[in-house]
Amino acid sequence: EAQFIVHEIDRLVDVEQVRYADVAVFYRTNAQSRVIEESFVRSGVPYRIVGGTKFYDRREIKDALAYLRALANPDDEVGWKRIVNVPKRGVGDTSVRKVESYAQGANIVFRDALREASAAGVNGRALGGIKELSEVMTESEEKAETLGVSGVNEAMVERNGYVAEREGEGEIEEKGGIERVSELDGGAREYESRRV
């Protein structure tokens, strides 16, 4: 469907002299935007999302991608800082600063400092949250070899409680976030099938 849309837009622009700005594409759910947006990007069709946010600019997609980046690149400090309290684990800014300061003082990467959070002065609920994140990431590293990107993302999102937290919020937009994370799995499966 997305390729049909791209071809039809190209036809309208080339044959009927329609401007890109005069074309609108409607879709039923925000999760569908990923496939359409990716087709536009690959084909060079300029686009703008009206009344919403681009698929890859949404919070839940950035969170899921940060998990995958942190898994693929343990030295990705930005990714680790993004996921340390997603979903909420009781790890606040003060605890993150303690870990960051400890990492700088010990000349180690942020992820390794997380493993030494107790020595960094983190305690209580925050320490438990950091340990929980470490367990999720260790399990994900072990599964990465057999599950591939889509399987690891799906397992990580389920294991870390992200879906349960979003479902508990109950609002339509939050349920849409779950759909979008599932759509990200679809994109990962497409990527994996193209690589084979």
Side-chain angles (χ1 to χ4, degrees):
E1 289 177 344
Q3 281 304 309
F4 170 78
I5 292 168
V6 167
H7 291 302
E8 185 62 17
I9 290 171
D10 284 342
R11 185 191 67 74
L12 289 169
V13 170
D14 293 341
V15 176
E16 310 222 2
Q17 305 301 309
V18 173
R19 296 179 315 141
Y20 284 114
D22 294 332
V23 178
V25 176
F26 295 91
Y27 43 87
R28 293 180 65 120
T29 66
N30 286 329
Q32 292 173 306
S33 74
R34 181 196 61 84
V35 177
I36 296 168
E37 287 182 59
E38 286 180 0
S39 293
F40 286 168
V41 169
R42 277 194 299 271
S43 302
V45 173
Y47 73 97
R48 180 173 50 114
I49 303 291
V50 178
T53 306
K54 290 182 177 183
F55 184 83
Y56 289 101
D57 288 346
R58 293 186 170 273
R59 182 187 82 193
E60 62 274 3
I61 300 304
K62 287 183 175 184
D63 292 344
L65 290 174
Y67 267 98
L68 292 172
R69 277 194 331 271
L71 186 63
N73 179 9
D75 296 344
D76 179 6
E77 186 171 328
V78 173
W80 281 96
K81 285 180 180 177
R82 182 171 185 105
I83 66 173
V84 73
N85 199 39
V86 174
K88 291 183 177 33
R89 297 184 173 91
V91 183
D93 292 341
T94 302
S95 296
V96 170
R97 281 193 295 276
K98 287 179 181 179
V99 172
E100 186 176 35
S101 177
Y102 181 81
Q104 290 171 351
N107 199 28
I108 58 176
V109 296
F110 187 79
R111 181 194 74 161
D112 292 342
L114 282 173
R115 292 179 176 157
E116 300 177 27
S118 180
V122 178
N123 54 38
R125 184 167 178 229
L127 184 59
I130 289 171
K131 287 181 181 179
E132 179 185 325
L133 173 64
S134 293
E135 290 170 9
V136 168
M137 296 305 280
T138 299
E139 288 174 21
S140 298
E141 286 172 358
E142 293 167 359
K143 292 178 180 179
E145 295 292 321
T146 57
L147 295 179
V149 177
S150 62
V152 167
N153 183 56
E154 191 174 341
M156 230 181 331
V157 167
E158 186 65 36
R159 167 62 173 85
N160 74 21
Y162 191 77
V163 171
E165 180 184 75
R166 298 302 292 263
E167 286 175 340
E169 293 173 356
E171 295 178 21
I172 292 172
E173 181 58 27
E174 302 313 326
K175 293 194 184 303
I178 295 168
E179 289 175 5
R180 286 185 289 275
V181 171
S182 294
E183 179 58 28
L184 183 64
D185 292 339
R189 282 190 291 279
E190 287 176 22
Y191 167 78
E192 290 166 343
S193 71
R194 285 194 302 263
R195 288 185 59 202
V196 175

